[in-house]
mmCIF file of all heavy atoms in Angstrom:
data_model
loop_
_atom_site.group_PDB
_atom_site.id
_atom_site.type_symbol
_atom_site.label_atom_id
_atom_site.label_comp_id
_atom_site.label_asym_id
_atom_site.label_seq_id
_atom_site.Cartn_x
_atom_site.Cartn_y
_atom_site.Cartn_z
ATOM 1 N N LYS J 4 113.245 92.805 84.109
ATOM 2 C CA LYS J 4 112.279 92.610 85.191
ATOM 3 C C LYS J 4 112.735 91.455 86.084
ATOM 4 O O LYS J 4 112.775 91.585 87.313
ATOM 5 C CB LYS J 4 110.908 92.330 84.579
ATOM 6 C CG LYS J 4 109.849 91.858 85.535
ATOM 7 C CD LYS J 4 108.537 91.577 84.824
ATOM 8 C CE LYS J 4 108.580 90.459 83.851
ATOM 9 N NZ LYS J 4 108.398 89.123 84.384
ATOM 10 N N GLU J 10 108.086 91.769 89.576
ATOM 11 C CA GLU J 10 106.947 91.058 89.020
ATOM 12 C C GLU J 10 105.937 92.093 88.530
ATOM 13 O O GLU J 10 105.618 93.032 89.257
ATOM 14 C CB GLU J 10 106.319 90.192 90.116
ATOM 15 C CG GLU J 10 105.071 89.480 89.704
ATOM 16 C CD GLU J 10 104.456 88.688 90.848
ATOM 17 O OE1 GLU J 10 104.685 89.019 92.030
ATOM 18 O OE2 GLU J 10 103.723 87.746 90.534
ATOM 19 N N PHE J 11 105.477 91.930 87.300
ATOM 20 C CA PHE J 11 104.429 92.773 86.755
ATOM 21 C C PHE J 11 103.135 91.974 86.845
ATOM 22 O O PHE J 11 103.097 90.802 86.479
ATOM 23 C CB PHE J 11 104.685 93.123 85.290
ATOM 24 C CG PHE J 11 105.929 93.937 85.026
ATOM 25 C CD1 PHE J 11 106.396 94.071 83.731
ATOM 26 C CD2 PHE J 11 106.630 94.567 86.035
ATOM 27 C CE1 PHE J 11 107.532 94.828 83.451
ATOM 28 C CE2 PHE J 11 107.758 95.328 85.771
ATOM 29 C CZ PHE J 11 108.207 95.457 84.477
ATOM 30 N N TYR J 12 102.065 92.609 87.299
ATOM 31 C CA TYR J 12 100.781 91.917 87.391
ATOM 32 C C TYR J 12 99.638 92.913 87.227
ATOM 33 O O TYR J 12 99.815 94.108 87.412
ATOM 34 C CB TYR J 12 100.662 91.160 88.723
ATOM 35 C CG TYR J 12 100.630 92.053 89.938
ATOM 36 C CD1 TYR J 12 99.429 92.372 90.561
ATOM 37 C CD2 TYR J 12 101.807 92.603 90.461
ATOM 38 C CE1 TYR J 12 99.395 93.204 91.668
ATOM 39 C CE2 TYR J 12 101.782 93.434 91.569
ATOM 40 C CZ TYR J 12 100.565 93.728 92.161
ATOM 41 O OH TYR J 12 100.546 94.560 93.250
ATOM 42 N N LYS J 13 98.480 92.378 86.866
ATOM 43 C CA LYS J 13 97.292 93.198 86.651
ATOM 44 C C LYS J 13 96.262 92.857 87.716
ATOM 45 O O LYS J 13 96.131 91.702 88.115
ATOM 46 C CB LYS J 13 96.685 92.924 85.281
ATOM 47 C CG LYS J 13 97.595 93.254 84.132
ATOM 48 C CD LYS J 13 96.962 92.849 82.820
ATOM 49 C CE LYS J 13 97.970 92.976 81.694
ATOM 50 N NZ LYS J 13 97.449 92.509 80.428
ATOM 51 N N ILE J 14 95.546 93.871 88.157
ATOM 52 C CA ILE J 14 94.399 93.652 89.017
ATOM 53 C C ILE J 14 93.217 94.384 88.397
ATOM 54 O O ILE J 14 93.390 95.331 87.631
ATOM 55 C CB ILE J 14 94.640 94.096 90.479
ATOM 56 C CG1 ILE J 14 95.038 95.577 90.558
ATOM 57 C CG2 ILE J 14 95.693 93.238 91.138
ATOM 58 C CD1 ILE J 14 95.166 96.086 91.986
ATOM 59 N N LYS J 20 90.903 98.113 85.409
ATOM 60 C CA LYS J 20 92.170 97.384 85.326
ATOM 61 C C LYS J 20 93.348 98.291 85.648
ATOM 62 O O LYS J 20 93.461 99.394 85.126
ATOM 63 C CB LYS J 20 92.349 96.780 83.936
ATOM 64 C CG LYS J 20 93.618 95.961 83.790
ATOM 65 C CD LYS J 20 93.681 95.178 82.503
ATOM 66 C CE LYS J 20 93.595 96.016 81.278
ATOM 67 N NZ LYS J 20 93.860 95.305 80.042
ATOM 68 N N THR J 21 94.215 97.827 86.532
ATOM 69 C CA THR J 21 95.445 98.556 86.831
ATOM 70 C C THR J 21 96.636 97.623 86.655
ATOM 71 O O THR J 21 96.536 96.418 86.848
ATOM 72 C CB THR J 21 95.446 99.120 88.267
ATOM 73 O OG1 THR J 21 95.338 98.036 89.184
ATOM 74 C CG2 THR J 21 94.313 100.092 88.486
ATOM 75 N N HIS J 22 97.736 98.209 86.285
ATOM 76 C CA HIS J 22 98.987 97.483 86.095
ATOM 77 C C HIS J 22 99.891 97.813 87.271
ATOM 78 O O HIS J 22 99.992 98.980 87.664
ATOM 79 C CB HIS J 22 99.646 97.901 84.777
ATOM 80 C CG HIS J 22 98.841 97.522 83.579
ATOM 81 N ND1 HIS J 22 97.712 98.214 83.196
ATOM 82 C CD2 HIS J 22 98.995 96.529 82.687
ATOM 83 C CE1 HIS J 22 97.208 97.659 82.108
ATOM 84 N NE2 HIS J 22 97.968 96.634 81.771
ATOM 85 N N ASN J 23 100.529 96.788 87.799
ATOM 86 C CA ASN J 23 101.351 96.985 88.987
ATOM 87 C C ASN J 23 102.703 96.303 88.854
ATOM 88 O O ASN J 23 102.862 95.353 88.096
ATOM 89 C CB ASN J 23 100.637 96.431 90.220
ATOM 90 C CG ASN J 23 99.402 97.209 90.544
ATOM 91 O OD1 ASN J 23 99.470 98.262 91.137
ATOM 92 N ND2 ASN J 23 98.253 96.698 90.117
ATOM 93 N N CYS J 24 103.626 96.813 89.648
ATOM 94 C CA CYS J 24 104.983 96.274 89.721
ATOM 95 C C CYS J 24 105.314 96.096 91.193
ATOM 96 O O CYS J 24 105.080 96.988 92.000
ATOM 97 C CB CYS J 24 105.956 97.253 89.066
ATOM 98 S SG CYS J 24 107.683 96.855 89.325
ATOM 99 N N ARG J 25 105.843 94.933 91.543
ATOM 100 C CA ARG J 25 106.271 94.696 92.923
ATOM 101 C C ARG J 25 107.484 93.775 92.922
ATOM 102 O O ARG J 25 107.811 93.146 91.921
ATOM 103 C CB ARG J 25 105.143 94.099 93.755
ATOM 104 C CG ARG J 25 104.781 92.683 93.370
ATOM 105 C CD ARG J 25 103.696 92.127 94.242
ATOM 106 N NE ARG J 25 103.249 90.845 93.706
ATOM 107 C CZ ARG J 25 102.072 90.322 93.939
ATOM 108 N NH1 ARG J 25 101.206 90.951 94.689
ATOM 109 N NH2 ARG J 25 101.744 89.158 93.413
ATOM 110 N N LEU J 40 107.752 102.368 88.720
ATOM 111 C CA LEU J 40 107.021 102.040 87.495
ATOM 112 C C LEU J 40 105.515 102.089 87.722
ATOM 113 O O LEU J 40 104.756 102.405 86.800
ATOM 114 C CB LEU J 40 107.412 100.641 86.996
ATOM 115 C CG LEU J 40 108.856 100.461 86.516
ATOM 116 C CD1 LEU J 40 109.122 99.005 86.183
ATOM 117 C CD2 LEU J 40 109.176 101.366 85.352
ATOM 118 N N ASN J 41 105.071 101.810 88.937
ATOM 119 C CA ASN J 41 103.639 101.872 89.252
ATOM 120 C C ASN J 41 103.040 103.233 88.941
ATOM 121 O O ASN J 41 101.836 103.344 88.709
ATOM 122 C CB ASN J 41 103.398 101.551 90.730
ATOM 123 C CG ASN J 41 103.527 100.087 91.033
ATOM 124 O OD1 ASN J 41 103.057 99.244 90.282
ATOM 125 N ND2 ASN J 41 104.154 99.769 92.143
ATOM 126 N N LEU J 43 103.842 105.101 86.391
ATOM 127 C CA LEU J 43 103.967 105.412 84.969
ATOM 128 C C LEU J 43 102.888 104.727 84.155
ATOM 129 O O LEU J 43 102.813 103.498 84.132
ATOM 130 C CB LEU J 43 105.339 104.972 84.443
ATOM 131 C CG LEU J 43 106.570 105.609 85.066
ATOM 132 C CD1 LEU J 43 107.836 105.003 84.468
ATOM 133 C CD2 LEU J 43 106.557 107.108 84.884
ATOM 134 N N ASP J 44 102.057 105.530 83.490
ATOM 135 C CA ASP J 44 101.118 104.977 82.525
ATOM 136 C C ASP J 44 101.835 104.939 81.168
ATOM 137 O O ASP J 44 103.040 105.205 81.081
ATOM 138 C CB ASP J 44 99.828 105.792 82.486
ATOM 139 C CG ASP J 44 100.060 107.265 82.131
ATOM 140 O OD1 ASP J 44 101.157 107.632 81.649
ATOM 141 O OD2 ASP J 44 99.124 108.059 82.332
ATOM 142 N N VAL J 45 101.096 104.621 80.123
ATOM 143 C CA VAL J 45 101.712 104.510 78.798
ATOM 144 C C VAL J 45 102.384 105.819 78.384
ATOM 145 O O VAL J 45 103.549 105.825 77.967
ATOM 146 C CB VAL J 45 100.672 104.068 77.734
ATOM 147 C CG1 VAL J 45 101.242 104.199 76.326
ATOM 148 C CG2 VAL J 45 100.221 102.636 77.991
ATOM 149 N N THR J 48 105.502 106.593 80.468
ATOM 150 C CA THR J 48 106.581 105.649 80.130
ATOM 151 C C THR J 48 107.219 106.039 78.804
ATOM 152 O O THR J 48 108.450 106.076 78.683
ATOM 153 C CB THR J 48 106.031 104.213 80.064
ATOM 154 O OG1 THR J 48 105.431 103.883 81.319
ATOM 155 C CG2 THR J 48 107.140 103.215 79.759
ATOM 156 N N ASP J 103 115.811 99.450 79.111
ATOM 157 C CA ASP J 103 115.271 98.131 78.783
ATOM 158 C C ASP J 103 114.090 97.772 79.684
ATOM 159 O O ASP J 103 113.095 97.200 79.220
ATOM 160 C CB ASP J 103 116.365 97.070 78.890
ATOM 161 C CG ASP J 103 117.480 97.269 77.874
ATOM 162 O OD1 ASP J 103 117.308 98.056 76.916
ATOM 163 O OD2 ASP J 103 118.547 96.639 78.046
ATOM 164 N N LEU J 104 114.182 98.110 80.963
ATOM 165 C CA LEU J 104 113.090 97.846 81.903
ATOM 166 C C LEU J 104 111.845 98.655 81.514
ATOM 167 O O LEU J 104 110.717 98.131 81.546
ATOM 168 C CB LEU J 104 113.527 98.180 83.330
ATOM 169 C CG LEU J 104 112.514 97.902 84.432
ATOM 170 C CD1 LEU J 104 112.163 96.417 84.497
ATOM 171 C CD2 LEU J 104 113.066 98.369 85.774
ATOM 172 N N LEU J 105 112.028 99.903 81.123
ATOM 173 C CA LEU J 105 110.901 100.732 80.687
ATOM 174 C C LEU J 105 110.254 100.161 79.424
ATOM 175 O O LEU J 105 109.025 100.201 79.278
ATOM 176 C CB LEU J 105 111.351 102.170 80.441
ATOM 177 C CG LEU J 105 111.640 102.991 81.691
ATOM 178 C CD1 LEU J 105 112.371 104.277 81.328
ATOM 179 C CD2 LEU J 105 110.364 103.292 82.454
ATOM 180 N N GLN J 106 111.051 99.626 78.527
ATOM 181 C CA GLN J 106 110.497 99.010 77.321
ATOM 182 C C GLN J 106 109.654 97.787 77.677
ATOM 183 O O GLN J 106 108.575 97.585 77.118
ATOM 184 C CB GLN J 106 111.612 98.658 76.344
ATOM 185 C CG GLN J 106 112.251 99.876 75.721
ATOM 186 C CD GLN J 106 113.523 99.581 74.951
ATOM 187 O OE1 GLN J 106 114.172 98.562 75.155
ATOM 188 N NE2 GLN J 106 113.885 100.495 74.060
ATOM 189 N N GLU J 107 110.123 97.002 78.642
ATOM 190 C CA GLU J 107 109.352 95.837 79.098
ATOM 191 C C GLU J 107 108.056 96.304 79.768
ATOM 192 O O GLU J 107 106.991 95.702 79.565
ATOM 193 C CB GLU J 107 110.176 95.005 80.082
ATOM 194 C CG GLU J 107 111.356 94.304 79.471
ATOM 195 C CD GLU J 107 112.239 93.609 80.488
ATOM 196 O OE1 GLU J 107 111.807 93.371 81.636
ATOM 197 O OE2 GLU J 107 113.403 93.291 80.141
ATOM 198 N N TRP J 108 108.136 97.354 80.575
ATOM 199 C CA TRP J 108 106.961 97.892 81.260
ATOM 200 C C TRP J 108 105.940 98.403 80.239
ATOM 201 O O TRP J 108 104.745 98.165 80.371
ATOM 202 C CB TRP J 108 107.387 98.990 82.221
ATOM 203 C CG TRP J 108 106.275 99.631 82.986
ATOM 204 C CD1 TRP J 108 105.845 100.926 82.877
ATOM 205 C CD2 TRP J 108 105.441 99.035 83.996
ATOM 206 N NE1 TRP J 108 104.793 101.155 83.752
ATOM 207 C CE2 TRP J 108 104.534 100.008 84.452
ATOM 208 C CE3 TRP J 108 105.380 97.751 84.555
ATOM 209 C CZ2 TRP J 108 103.584 99.761 85.432
ATOM 210 C CZ3 TRP J 108 104.430 97.503 85.532
ATOM 211 C CH2 TRP J 108 103.548 98.490 85.960
ATOM 212 N N LEU J 109 106.415 99.072 79.190
ATOM 213 C CA LEU J 109 105.525 99.601 78.162
ATOM 214 C C LEU J 109 104.788 98.466 77.449
ATOM 215 O O LEU J 109 103.571 98.549 77.231
ATOM 216 C CB LEU J 109 106.320 100.449 77.166
ATOM 217 C CG LEU J 109 105.519 101.133 76.070
ATOM 218 C CD1 LEU J 109 104.474 102.075 76.659
ATOM 219 C CD2 LEU J 109 106.454 101.886 75.133
ATOM 220 N N VAL J 110 105.491 97.414 77.115
ATOM 221 C CA VAL J 110 104.844 96.258 76.470
ATOM 222 C C VAL J 110 103.779 95.684 77.405
ATOM 223 O O VAL J 110 102.661 95.357 76.977
ATOM 224 C CB VAL J 110 105.901 95.190 76.093
ATOM 225 C CG1 VAL J 110 105.237 93.869 75.720
ATOM 226 C CG2 VAL J 110 106.791 95.692 74.971
ATOM 227 N N PHE J 111 104.098 95.583 78.685
ATOM 228 C CA PHE J 111 103.138 95.087 79.673
ATOM 229 C C PHE J 111 101.914 95.998 79.764
ATOM 230 O O PHE J 111 100.775 95.514 79.777
ATOM 231 C CB PHE J 111 103.815 94.940 81.035
ATOM 232 C CG PHE J 111 102.881 94.567 82.148
ATOM 233 C CD1 PHE J 111 102.313 93.303 82.188
ATOM 234 C CD2 PHE J 111 102.567 95.477 83.137
ATOM 235 C CE1 PHE J 111 101.436 92.961 83.224
ATOM 236 C CE2 PHE J 111 101.701 95.146 84.153
ATOM 237 C CZ PHE J 111 101.133 93.872 84.201
ATOM 238 N N LEU J 112 102.141 97.302 79.818
ATOM 239 C CA LEU J 112 101.023 98.241 79.898
ATOM 240 C C LEU J 112 100.097 98.141 78.674
ATOM 241 O O LEU J 112 98.891 98.335 78.794
ATOM 242 C CB LEU J 112 101.536 99.687 80.008
ATOM 243 C CG LEU J 112 102.197 100.091 81.305
ATOM 244 C CD1 LEU J 112 102.763 101.509 81.190
ATOM 245 C CD2 LEU J 112 101.221 100.006 82.474
ATOM 246 N N GLN J 113 100.680 97.868 77.553
ATOM 247 C CA GLN J 113 99.903 97.816 76.313
ATOM 248 C C GLN J 113 99.249 96.461 76.075
ATOM 249 O O GLN J 113 98.504 96.299 75.117
ATOM 250 C CB GLN J 113 100.791 98.198 75.125
ATOM 251 C CG GLN J 113 101.250 99.632 75.193
ATOM 252 C CD GLN J 113 102.290 99.997 74.147
ATOM 253 O OE1 GLN J 113 103.069 99.160 73.707
ATOM 254 N NE2 GLN J 113 102.305 101.256 73.754
ATOM 255 N N SER J 114 99.517 95.512 76.969
ATOM 256 C CA SER J 114 98.940 94.169 76.802
ATOM 257 C C SER J 114 97.540 94.078 77.376
ATOM 258 O O SER J 114 97.098 94.887 78.135
ATOM 259 C CB SER J 114 99.826 93.124 77.458
ATOM 260 O OG SER J 114 99.852 93.284 78.863
#
Side-chain angles (χ1 to χ4, degrees):
K4 169 181 65 84
E10 176 183 25
F11 297 167
Y12 65 100
K13 298 175 189 176
I14 57 175
K20 182 170 59 171
T21 61
H22 295 76
N23 293 280
C24 170
R25 69 178 172 204
L40 294 175
N41 285 318
L43 299 177
D44 58 14
V45 170
T48 302
D103 296 346
L104 182 61
L105 286 167
Q106 290 169 339
E107 292 174 17
W108 180 246
L109 183 59
V110 167
F111 174 70
L112 290 175
Q113 295 172 331
S114 66

